[in-house]
Every structure is written in C-alpha cells, then in structure tokens.
C-alpha cells in the first residue's frame, strides 16, 4: 500500500514503541519520515532500518518539551522535504513517579505537563502553518488514563485528557486546512512497561477484554489511518486502541 506516496511525515518519540512503529509504517506506505527523539542511538537505528528496507527516513535529536527543538525540527523538515503532510505528536509516557498530588513536588507536575501537554502546543504552534499548506493531518497520542483514574497518575492523566481537549480545539481552529485527531492507546507492550513487574502485567491483561497487551504496530495502524486520506472527513476524533480496556468494568 502506498497511501503516503509523495508525502512527508514527522514522528516524535520515534526511537521506540508506538512512535517507532508509526515511523516504520508510514515509511512502508510511501512517506518520507523525520524521526525525533532524545534516544539518539535507538532513533538513528530505526531510521537506518527504514532506509535499509527501501524507505526514506532521517533522525533528529529533539526534546518535545523544548521550543528550540521544534524550531530545529521545522528547519530540518523545510530543508529536507520542503513540506509537511503528517505530524504524529507522540511523546514519552509517565515521566514522574506515581504518588498522590499532596505528595507530588511542583517540579514533577511541571515536568509531566511540560513534556506531554506543552509539547502538543509546541507541535501545533510550530507546524500548523506548514501543514495547512498541504491539507495536512496531526495525530496526537493520548492514553486511556484520560478517562479512567489510575492511582498516583494525576499529572499524566491531566496531560492526556488535556491533549484530547486541545485536539478538539485545534480541529476547529484549523479546519478545513488541518485535520487533528487523537489515538488513545490502552496497554501496549513497549519499553514503557519495563518497570512493571510480572504481577502488574498479569493484572493488566486480566483487565483487558482482548486478554493481552496491544502491540505498537496496532496503534501505528490507527495513527496511519487517521493521518491518511481515508480519514478525510474525520477531525477532532479520539480513537481508542485498547483491546476494550476503557469499556470494561474490570478496568475501573
Ligand atoms: N505503552 C502503553 O501502554 C501506552 C498506553 C497509553 C498511552 N501510551 C502513550 O504512547 C506514547 C508512546 O509511548 P510508548 O509506549 O511507545 O513508550 P516508549 O517508552 O516505547 O517510547 C517513548 C519514546 O519517547 C522518547 N522520549 C522520552 N522523552 C522524550 C522527550 N522529552 N522528547 C522526545 N522524545 C522523548 C523515548 O526516548 C522513547 O523513544 C506515550 O505518549 C504514552 O503516554 C502508551
């Protein structure tokens, strides 16, 4: 399938997990892809794999919470591609320890919001004009934490819920020139689960009607759909890719 033939894409958090799977899939479907991450070795490796399998990709170091990194990404996209069609605004997961808010230092709150919610502002602020020129699409990665409280995850939940509200707002502000949608993953096997022990993983599987973790490529398929012309009448939408986790009573 070459549904992104002639198109260009920027994927952040692209060195592993969902971002890497999206970069691989968009490239396999014809897009030229710029990968942005802070894990340089892994990011370079994903780009090299894509190039080695007939795709076209490059890697750029960039912290999604930094305005300067977004400016550098815009300069690189302009230099390398001259246009942008697809932006997958995908970042790290929870970057601070889980604890109730009264025990949470202000810097933890700022860090999570800064790397999750502010990154989406920076993405839109930096790239909407360029995307608008090509009737482009943004897909933002949220989480089922936006809808369901999980103990100790206040700033992560607030950021992920805020991303969904922000996407709806952007969909209105930039219509009809830029479509903005959200992918809402549930438990997806990636490095994000490395720190969770076997018991925690087994409990998560029990909570998930599909009876297993999702794979990053299953989330990437939803991102690619939302970014493609097949979704040309879809904007401001949130698509759960969670094996039924968010509609199951056992997850709440
Ligand atoms: N895995 C899950 O179960 C799950 C569930 C719901 C939502 N999500 C969301 O999916 C997104 C991707 O998570 P994943 O599971 O693929 O995790 P992952 O850890 O495999 O990938 C995250 C990537 O982000 C990069 N990164 C970290 N800090 C960064 C920064 N400041 N700037 C740029 N890149 C940075 C990491 O180096 C890594 O490559 C996250 O936003 C997460 O909240 C994941």
């Amino acid at each position: 399938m070459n549904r992104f033939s002639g198109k260009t894409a920027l994927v952040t958090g692209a060195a592993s997990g969902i971002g890497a799977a999206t970069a691989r899939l968009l490239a396999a479907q014809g897009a030229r892809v710029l990968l942005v991450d802070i894990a340089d070795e892994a990011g370079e490796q994903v780009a090299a794999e894509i190039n080695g399998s007939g795709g076209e990709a490059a890697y750029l170091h960039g912290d999604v919470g930094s305005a300067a990194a977004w400016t550098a990404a815009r300069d690189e996209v302009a230099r390398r591609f001259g246009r942008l069609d697809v932006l997958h605004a995908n970042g790290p997961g929870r970057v601070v320890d889980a604890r109730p808010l009264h025990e949470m230092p202000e810097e933890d709150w700022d860090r999570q919001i800064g790397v999750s919610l502010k990154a989406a502002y920076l993405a839109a602020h930096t790239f909407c004009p360029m995307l608008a020129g090509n009737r482009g699409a943004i897909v933002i990665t949220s989480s089922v934490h936006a809808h369901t409280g999980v103990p100790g995850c206040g700033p992560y939940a607030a950021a992920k819920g805020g991303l969904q509200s922000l996407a709806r707002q952007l969909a209105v502000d930039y219509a009809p020139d830029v479509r903005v949608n959200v992918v809402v993953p549930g438990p997806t096997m990636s490095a994000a689960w490395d720190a969770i022990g076997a018991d925690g993983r087994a409990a998560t599987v029990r909570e998930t009607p599909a009876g297993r973790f999702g794979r990053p490529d299953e989330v990437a398929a939803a991102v690619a759909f939302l970014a493609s012309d097949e979704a040309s009448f879809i904007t401001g939408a949130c698509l759960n890719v969670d094996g039924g986790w968010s509609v199951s009573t056992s997850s709440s």
Side-chain angles (χ1 to χ4, degrees), residues 37 57 76 88 108:
D37 205 291
E76 186 64 13
H88 182 198
D108 280 12

Side-chain angles (χ1 to χ4, degrees), residues 12-21 36-40 42-43 59 61-66 69-70 88-95 111-112 114-116 119 140-145 156 160 163 183-194 204 213-214 216 219 241:
T12 61
S16 74
I18 291 166
V36 171
D37 205 291
I38 53 172
D40 296 341
Y59 172 77
H61 176 92
D63 175 345
V64 292
S66 150
W70 283 98
H88 182 198
N90 172 74
R94 186 164 55 79
V95 295
R111 188 161 160 240
Q112 185 71 64
V115 86
S116 299
I140 297 172
T141 307
S142 176
S143 165
V144 289
H145 282 237
Y156 181 64
K160 293 301 187 179
L163 288 173
V183 68
V184 188
T188 307
M189 194 41 68
S190 73
W193 285 87
D194 284 352
T204 299
F213 276 82
V219 181
V241 185

Side-chain angles (χ1 to χ4, degrees), residues 93-113:
R94 186 164 55 79
V95 295
V96 299
D97 289 341
R99 59 181 81 177
L101 276 197
H102 70 279
E103 292 174 3
M104 184 160 294
E106 184 180 356
E107 55 267 28
D108 280 12
W109 175 271
D110 287 346
R111 188 161 160 240
Q112 185 71 64
I113 298 295

